[in-house]
Amino acid sequence: MIYLTRRERFSSAHRMFRPGLSDEENLLIYGKCSNPLWHGHNYVLKVTVRGEPDPEAGYFMNATRLREIIHEKVIVKLDHKNMNVETDFMAGKVATTENLAMAIWNELHAAVAAEGAQLHCVKVEETENNFVEYYG
Amino acid sequence: MIYLTRRERFSSAHRMFRPGLSDEENLLIYGKCSNPLWHGHNYVLKVTVRGEPDPEAGYFMNATRLREIIHEKVIVKLDHKNMNVETDFMAGKVATTENLAMAIWNELHAAVAAEGAQLHCVKVEETENNFVEYYG
Amino acid sequence: MIYLTRRERFSSAHRMFRPGLSDEENLLIYGKCSNPLWHGHNYVLKVTVRGEPDPEAGYFMNATRLREIIHEKVIVKLDHKNMNVETDFMAGKVATTENLAMAIWNELHAAVAAEGAQLHCVKVEETENNFVEYYG
Amino acid sequence: MIYLTRRERFSSAHRMFRPGLSDEENLLIYGKCSNPLWHGHNYVLKVTVRGEPDPEAGYFMNATRLREIIHEKVIVKLDHKNMNVETDFMAGKVATTENLAMAIWNELHAAVAAEGAQLHCVKVEETENNFVEYYG
Amino acid sequence: MIYLTRRERFSSAHRMFRPGLSDEENLLIYGKCSNPLWHGHNYVLKVTVRGEPDPEAGYFMNATRLREIIHEKVIVKLDHKNMNVETDFMAGKVATTENLAMAIWNELHAAVAAEGAQLHCVKVEETENNFVEYYG
Amino acid sequence: MIYLTRRERFSSAHRMFRPGLSDEENLLIYGKCSNPLWHGHNYVLKVTVRGEPDPEAGYFMNATRLREIIHEKVIVKLDHKNMNVETDFMAGKVATTENLAMAIWNELHAAVAAEGAQLHCVKVEETENNFVEYYG
């Protein structure tokens, strides 16, 4: 079993808040990350898939194909977007890195399986100091 | 003459657009960076100051003092903010990295001089692939 | 289950040696790392905790709270210190990265559990080429 | 159980192709990576071994010894070489990162075991965006 | 005056040798870098241009346009190529990083000037430890 | 004129203090960096030399030779040492990064000139956030 990871990046605006709460209440919970006028990040996304390499080809999934899937399913919906307002798979969710990683997993899972591989891990780095990993 | 650089970071939302133009016209000029619903970045800021080290102290400006100045004058106004709307020194300016670097220079220049040092360079890294430097 | 990692840094002096052995014997075992007059490193510490995100909050443990715990329990005792002489939780231990990772685990375990999360991994990077991970 | 990782680097030329296929067929499968006149990379290799630290020594395997083994068994055969033509353990294999990681595992396994440790993971980073991991 | 830098990458095979000398003589001069069967690198290219930002636009040259020029003039001729054999602007030159930086300068100079900007610096990083800069 | 940079690393213990002052007075000036029991860093050293490449050789100074000079003159005296006590060229100087950069310049200047090149810049990075450059 081999694990293949592709690193991609996207730059998004977001805000952490729960719709049912006031700005003051959101501020208490999420601090400066709840700023009503938004802020943003250069997110780093690392998607790991696993499989048994084909002995003749020397791989189980082409890294270029993995890149295409990540761009089609995830990057075009997040890069240079406001993830709270514009990203369909984040609708109705608090825009935490945790929810983002789980939502990206859901977007990628079937498309990776359709290539005969298994999605193993979605890692989202919000800053150089904060990372989240989700293994399904 | 010694050059001392302090690296700081801030995460902001922004949008590139000229107030007198329509969203369509801004889109033609700035592409996806003009998204009306904002996007954002983890900016890296490198501020370089220069001076003659005091022979007894072994430095000309304390790096901790430089960090304080950068935070007081720049970081608190940009970090977890929308720089188009909330950052006073960006008011009325297109939020390009170029304008940001020049505006940060203006914010820092006098405060660095008040410490007996000279501001040498303001470098702003918007992504890992795009940097801007301003030397006054 | 989500895995959340916080990256922190500390700069310490240390020396690898066993109290019962001479400097010559320690030199044979630990090489230049046993230098009696000390040396030091910029350590990078990555602490991973895991838990089930609260559906409403969108997380299981606030990254800011994790940062506070790491600083209170670990960083204040190591940063700009001599870990052999000044760090209580390293007393009587050889100051290897391995022992450091296990000692940091012990310092953090209960405090993370008190937040309703589980400590998953303590990673200590001594240089850009040498890392140690401990999973309890 | 402690996991110790050593990071090493090597710069090699390679080409992805299957001997039984024409250049055109290889181009269809491997794209620009099949260039008959070669290309190359700065590979980053991360080798992770695991073991129970000796309580007196504070480690289970010296990082310097691990470095020596990696250099003797792997780096001298890959660094500044053409891995398709000159690296014995890649003979007859397609020079994918996947095959490279598995071949490096085979080269290191016994030598690590002879030190009383267990090989845990071989990670090969071909570029800053593409990584492969093999756990045996 | 503002300095704008764009970072790009290319992966090439090369060999350092002087056509008039034997492999043995080249080995004496260039060491392992003269390997007749080639080796390769992930090169990092940083191109810096300078100009006076247009007050209305907030920049003097679009970073996307700079990226296009670098790709058209340089990257397509080097990436996944053998620079000694396939890169026209390296023909007849020893494939040192120094010669590469000067040749890239010549490829970019007129195209940058045609955009109303000035080429300031071409930096080529061959490994994480070796860099070359050329300022014309 | 070409600028060639070599990156090296060393891990040292140090303390900032002026011999004529008490620990309390040093604490007021240098803060936690004056800890009497030392602390340490992984320093990154970038040495830049300049010259006119020989047209036949394609370089003006071999990067391997530059590496040797840096190791002989600087690294062996700093790596895994206490720079206040053990490094001859830091004797009698406050162990600031500024003084360190100037002292390293003095150690390297003649040896670089003896190779027919000119020393251009000594850059010392004490942490990922603090750098010092000296140009002679």
Side-chain angles (χ1 to χ4, degrees):
Chain A
M1 188 75 79
I2 280 278
Y3 296 77
L4 168 70
T5 300
R6 178 78 196 169
R7 176 184 176 271
E8 300 291 342
R9 299 173 297 116
F10 56 91
S11 297
S12 310
H14 82 150
R15 176 200 178 193
M16 292 192 202
F17 76 111
R18 296 190 215 170
L21 302 183
S22 68
D23 281 356
E24 288 70 25
E25 290 167 314
N26 275 302
L27 183 64
L28 276 173
I29 299 170
Y30 299 109
K32 63 184 179 180
C33 299
S34 72
N35 180 18
L37 289 166
W38 320 100
H39 67 284
H41 297 288
N42 297 332
Y43 290 89
V44 176
L45 171 62
K46 289 176 181 158
V47 176
T48 303
V49 297
R50 68 174 181 230
E52 294 280 355
D54 175 87
E56 278 190 50
Y59 62 79
F60 66 95
M61 185 177 178
N62 193 299
T64 304
R65 181 69 190 122
L66 178 56
R67 181 181 189 277
E68 283 170 5
I69 291 172
I70 300 171
H71 273 260
E72 286 166 21
K73 300 287 184 187
V74 175
I75 303 296
V76 293
K77 295 184 172 179
L78 283 165
D79 189 38
H80 285 76
K81 303 287 185 194
N82 182 316
M83 73 172 68
N84 296 62
V85 180
E86 298 181 282
T87 307
D88 57 5
F89 59 73
M90 290 301 287
K93 293 173 184 162
V94 183
T96 59
T97 317
E98 288 83 348
N99 278 342
L100 188 56
M102 290 188 287
I104 291 171
W105 175 281
N106 291 336
E107 294 304 300
L108 293 175
H109 192 265
V112 168
E115 300 288 323
Q118 286 176 275
L119 186 58
H120 175 67
C121 180
V122 169
K123 183 176 187 178
V124 181
E125 304 178 3
E126 194 179 66
T127 69
E128 66 186 34
N129 294 329
N130 286 320
F131 322 138
V132 157
E133 286 158 288
Y134 184 60
Y135 295 84
Chain B
M1 189 74 78
I2 279 278
Y3 296 77
L4 169 70
T5 301
R6 178 76 196 169
R7 176 183 175 271
E8 299 290 342
R9 298 173 299 117
F10 56 91
S11 297
S12 310
H14 82 150
R15 176 201 177 191
M16 291 192 202
F17 76 112
R18 296 190 215 170
L21 303 183
S22 68
D23 281 357
E24 288 70 25
E25 290 168 314
N26 276 302
L27 183 65
L28 276 174
I29 299 170
Y30 299 110
K32 63 184 179 179
C33 299
S34 72
N35 180 16
L37 288 166
W38 320 101
H39 66 284
H41 297 288
N42 297 331
Y43 289 88
V44 175
L45 171 63
K46 289 177 181 157
V47 176
T48 303
V49 297
R50 67 173 181 232
E52 293 280 355
D54 175 88
E56 276 190 50
Y59 63 79
F60 66 94
M61 185 176 178
N62 194 299
T64 304
R65 181 68 190 122
L66 178 55
R67 180 181 189 278
E68 283 170 4
I69 291 172
I70 301 171
H71 273 259
E72 285 165 22
K73 301 287 183 186
V74 175
I75 303 295
V76 294
K77 294 183 172 178
L78 283 166
D79 189 38
H80 286 76
K81 303 286 187 195
N82 183 316
M83 74 171 67
N84 296 62
V85 181
E86 298 181 281
T87 306
D88 58 3
F89 59 73
M90 290 300 287
K93 294 173 184 161
V94 183
T96 59
T97 316
E98 288 82 349
N99 278 342
L100 188 55
M102 290 188 288
I104 291 172
W105 175 282
N106 290 337
E107 294 303 301
L108 292 175
H109 191 265
V112 168
E115 301 287 324
Q118 286 177 274
L119 186 57
H120 174 68
C121 181
V122 169
K123 183 175 188 178
V124 181
E125 304 177 2
E126 193 179 65
T127 69
E128 66 186 34
N129 293 329
N130 286 320
F131 323 138
V132 157
E133 285 158 288
Y134 184 61
Y135 295 83
Chain C
M1 189 74 79
I2 280 278
Y3 296 77
L4 169 69
T5 301
R6 179 76 196 168
R7 174 183 176 273
E8 300 290 342
R9 298 174 297 117
F10 56 90
S11 296
S12 310
H14 81 151
R15 175 200 178 192
M16 291 191 203
F17 77 112
R18 296 190 215 171
L21 304 183
S22 68
D23 281 356
E24 288 70 24
E25 290 167 314
N26 276 302
L27 183 65
L28 276 174
I29 301 170
Y30 299 109
K32 63 184 179 180
C33 299
S34 72
N35 180 15
L37 288 166
W38 319 100
H39 67 284
H41 298 288
N42 296 333
Y43 289 89
V44 176
L45 171 63
K46 289 176 181 157
V47 176
T48 303
V49 297
R50 68 174 181 233
E52 294 279 356
D54 174 87
E56 277 190 50
Y59 63 79
F60 66 95
M61 185 177 179
N62 194 300
T64 305
R65 181 69 191 121
L66 178 55
R67 181 181 188 279
E68 284 170 3
I69 291 172
I70 300 171
H71 274 260
E72 286 166 21
K73 300 287 183 186
V74 176
I75 303 297
V76 294
K77 295 185 171 178
L78 284 165
D79 189 38
H80 286 76
K81 303 287 186 193
N82 183 317
M83 72 171 70
N84 296 61
V85 181
E86 298 181 281
T87 307
D88 57 5
F89 59 74
M90 290 301 288
K93 294 173 184 162
V94 183
T96 59
T97 317
E98 289 82 349
N99 278 342
L100 188 55
M102 290 188 287
I104 291 172
W105 175 282
N106 290 337
E107 293 304 300
L108 293 175
H109 192 264
V112 168
E115 300 288 323
Q118 287 177 273
L119 186 58
H120 175 66
C121 180
V122 169
K123 183 175 187 178
V124 181
E125 304 177 3
E126 194 179 65
T127 69
E128 67 186 33
N129 293 330
N130 286 322
F131 322 138
V132 158
E133 285 158 289
Y134 184 61
Y135 294 84
Chain D
M1 188 74 79
I2 279 278
Y3 296 77
L4 168 70
T5 301
R6 179 74 196 170
R7 175 184 175 272
E8 298 291 341
R9 298 173 298 116
F10 56 91
S11 297
S12 310
H14 82 150
R15 175 200 179 193
M16 292 192 202
F17 76 111
R18 295 190 216 170
L21 303 183
S22 69
D23 281 356
E24 289 69 25
E25 290 167 314
N26 275 302
L27 183 65
L28 276 173
I29 299 170
Y30 298 109
K32 63 184 179 181
C33 300
S34 71
N35 181 17
L37 288 166
W38 320 101
H39 67 284
H41 297 287
N42 296 331
Y43 289 89
V44 176
L45 171 62
K46 290 176 181 157
V47 176
T48 303
V49 297
R50 68 174 181 232
E52 295 279 355
D54 174 87
E56 275 190 51
Y59 62 77
F60 65 95
M61 184 176 179
N62 195 300
T64 304
R65 182 68 190 120
L66 178 56
R67 180 181 189 280
E68 284 169 4
I69 291 172
I70 301 171
H71 273 259
E72 285 165 22
K73 301 287 183 185
V74 176
I75 303 297
V76 294
K77 295 184 172 178
L78 284 165
D79 190 38
H80 286 75
K81 303 287 186 194
N82 183 317
M83 72 172 70
N84 297 61
V85 181
E86 298 181 283
T87 307
D88 57 4
F89 59 73
M90 291 301 288
K93 294 174 184 162
V94 183
T96 59
T97 317
E98 289 81 349
N99 277 343
L100 188 56
M102 290 189 287
I104 291 172
W105 174 282
N106 290 337
E107 293 304 300
L108 293 175
H109 191 265
V112 168
E115 300 287 324
Q118 287 177 272
L119 186 57
H120 175 67
C121 181
V122 169
K123 184 176 187 178
V124 180
E125 304 177 3
E126 192 179 68
T127 69
E128 67 187 33
N129 294 328
N130 286 321
F131 322 138
V132 157
E133 286 158 288
Y134 183 60
Y135 294 84
Chain E
M1 190 72 80
I2 280 277
Y3 297 77
L4 169 70
T5 301
R6 178 76 196 169
R7 175 184 176 271
E8 299 291 341
R9 299 173 297 118
F10 56 91
S11 296
S12 311
H14 81 151
R15 176 199 178 193
M16 291 191 203
F17 76 111
R18 295 191 216 171
L21 303 183
S22 68
D23 282 355
E24 288 69 26
E25 289 167 315
N26 276 301
L27 183 66
L28 275 174
I29 299 170
Y30 299 109
K32 63 183 179 180
C33 300
S34 72
N35 180 16
L37 288 166
W38 321 101
H39 67 284
H41 297 288
N42 298 332
Y43 289 88
V44 176
L45 171 63
K46 289 176 181 157
V47 176
T48 302
V49 297
R50 67 173 182 235
E52 293 280 355
D54 175 88
E56 276 189 51
Y59 63 79
F60 66 94
M61 185 177 178
N62 194 300
T64 304
R65 181 69 190 121
L66 178 55
R67 181 181 188 279
E68 283 169 4
I69 291 171
I70 301 171
H71 274 260
E72 285 165 22
K73 300 287 183 187
V74 176
I75 303 295
V76 294
K77 294 183 172 178
L78 284 166
D79 190 38
H80 286 76
K81 302 286 186 196
N82 183 317
M83 73 172 69
N84 296 61
V85 181
E86 299 181 282
T87 307
D88 58 5
F89 59 73
M90 290 300 288
K93 294 173 184 162
V94 183
T96 60
T97 317
E98 289 81 350
N99 277 343
L100 188 55
M102 290 188 287
I104 291 172
W105 175 282
N106 290 338
E107 294 303 300
L108 293 175
H109 191 265
V112 168
E115 300 287 323
Q118 287 176 273
L119 187 57
H120 175 67
C121 180
V122 169
K123 182 176 188 178
V124 181
E125 305 177 3
E126 193 179 66
T127 69
E128 67 186 34
N129 294 329
N130 286 322
F131 323 137
V132 157
E133 286 158 288
Y134 183 61
Y135 295 84
Chain F
M1 188 73 80
I2 280 277
Y3 296 76
L4 168 70
T5 300
R6 178 76 196 169
R7 175 184 175 270
E8 299 291 342
R9 300 173 298 117
F10 56 91
S11 296
S12 310
H14 81 152
R15 176 200 179 192
M16 292 190 202
F17 77 111
R18 294 190 217 171
L21 302 184
S22 68
D23 282 356
E24 290 69 25
E25 290 167 314
N26 276 303
L27 183 65
L28 276 174
I29 299 170
Y30 298 109
K32 63 184 179 180
C33 299
S34 72
N35 180 17
L37 289 165
W38 320 101
H39 67 284
H41 297 288
N42 297 331
Y43 289 88
V44 175
L45 171 63
K46 289 175 181 157
V47 176
T48 303
V49 297
R50 68 173 182 234
E52 295 280 354
D54 175 86
E56 276 190 51
Y59 62 78
F60 65 95
M61 183 177 180
N62 194 300
T64 304
R65 181 68 190 120
L66 178 55
R67 180 181 189 278
E68 284 170 3
I69 291 172
I70 301 171
H71 273 260
E72 284 165 23
K73 300 287 184 187
V74 176
I75 304 296
V76 295
K77 294 184 172 179
L78 283 166
D79 189 38
H80 286 75
K81 302 286 187 197
N82 183 318
M83 72 171 71
N84 296 62
V85 181
E86 298 181 281
T87 307
D88 57 4
F89 60 72
M90 290 300 288
K93 293 173 184 162
V94 183
T96 60
T97 317
E98 289 82 350
N99 278 342
L100 187 56
M102 290 188 288
I104 290 172
W105 175 281
N106 290 337
E107 294 303 301
L108 293 174
H109 192 266
V112 168
E115 300 287 324
Q118 286 177 274
L119 186 57
H120 175 67
C121 180
V122 169
K123 183 176 187 179
V124 181
E125 305 177 2
E126 192 179 67
T127 68
E128 67 186 33
N129 293 329
N130 287 321
F131 322 138
V132 157
E133 285 158 289
Y134 184 61
Y135 295 83

